[in-house]
Amino acid sequence: GMAAAPLARKVRPNRVTDTEGLTRALMAIADRESVFTERFYELLFERRPDTRELFGAYPIAEQEEMMRETLRSLATLQEYAAAIDPRAAEPAAPVDGGGWLAENLRALGESHAEYGVTPDMYECYRGLLVECARETAGALFDERAEAALTEAVALVCALMVPQPGPV
């Protein structure tokens, strides 16, 4: 019956399924962004000391910029998903936002690979982002927000990790 309906809907790769949950997650993080960012990198460097050297001469500024870029990508993903009528099997007209974001993230992923970011670092990054939000993001960050953030971060990472091309 009704309960199965959400699963029946075709999941497209650059779509988040719960835009309200993601909005809540992003608002919760925005409220504590400096604490969130600081704690995130503290945990990242603790677990992956090899990532520390990926940041250049001004590590704090670069870390803050990288986190802003991540949050911006998540917000764009949210806006793009919200712009599509979820009841439509396919969007009536392609919304450029999704294509633009996918292209942008792919390019970003390639530049990260050149800096020495490896696919397994994304795994760590993904898990930590959610864990850190849970730890720092306050009351708005409930189970629904966490589930939506987990999905969105996975999408962003999937779009960034360079796909092995034909040999």
Side-chain angles (χ1 to χ4, degrees):
M2 286 297 289
L7 296 176
R9 198 170 64 207
K10 195 162 59 179
V11 175
R12 285 192 290 290
N14 52 357
R15 256 319 265 297
V16 282
T17 50
D18 181 6
T19 54
E20 284 173 39
L22 183 56
T23 301
R24 194 182 304 176
L26 293 172
M27 283 171 63
I29 291 169
D31 277 350
R32 308 260 199 296
E33 195 175 324
S34 57
V35 177
F36 172 79
T37 302
E38 194 177 323
R39 182 67 180 136
F40 176 83
Y41 286 105
E42 205 173 89
L43 288 169
L44 181 67
F45 298 151
E46 202 175 279
R47 293 194 201 163
R48 291 295 303 253
D50 55 335
T51 58
R52 192 185 288 270
E53 67 214 30
L54 299 173
F55 293 93
Y58 306 99
I60 303 298
E62 289 192 24
Q63 289 161 27
E64 287 174 351
E65 181 48 43
M66 186 170 146
M67 184 57 74
R68 269 197 300 273
E69 181 83 38
T70 300
L71 297 173
R72 246 201 314 274
S73 298
L74 291 166
T76 303
L77 206 59
Q78 188 278 330
E79 286 159 20
Y80 169 61
I84 297 170
D85 181 353
R87 289 165 305 202
E90 285 295 330
V95 178
D96 184 54
W100 169 84
L101 182 65
E103 192 46 49
N104 196 34
L105 289 173
R106 196 184 57 73
L108 203 62
E110 282 176 8
S111 66
H112 277 63
E114 285 161 21
Y115 289 127
V117 176
T118 57
D120 60 296
M121 287 177 186
Y122 285 98
E123 284 302 303
C124 181
Y125 190 87
R126 262 171 66 175
L128 272 183
L129 208 70
V130 175
E131 183 183 324
C132 193
R134 197 186 303 132
E135 189 184 309
T136 60
L140 261 182
F141 196 75
D142 56 10
E143 279 178 31
R144 181 178 174 184
E146 181 171 333
L149 182 66
T150 302
E151 178 190 47
V153 171
L155 267 171
V156 167
C157 289
L159 289 167
M160 278 183 72
V161 177
Q163 299 306 312
V167 180

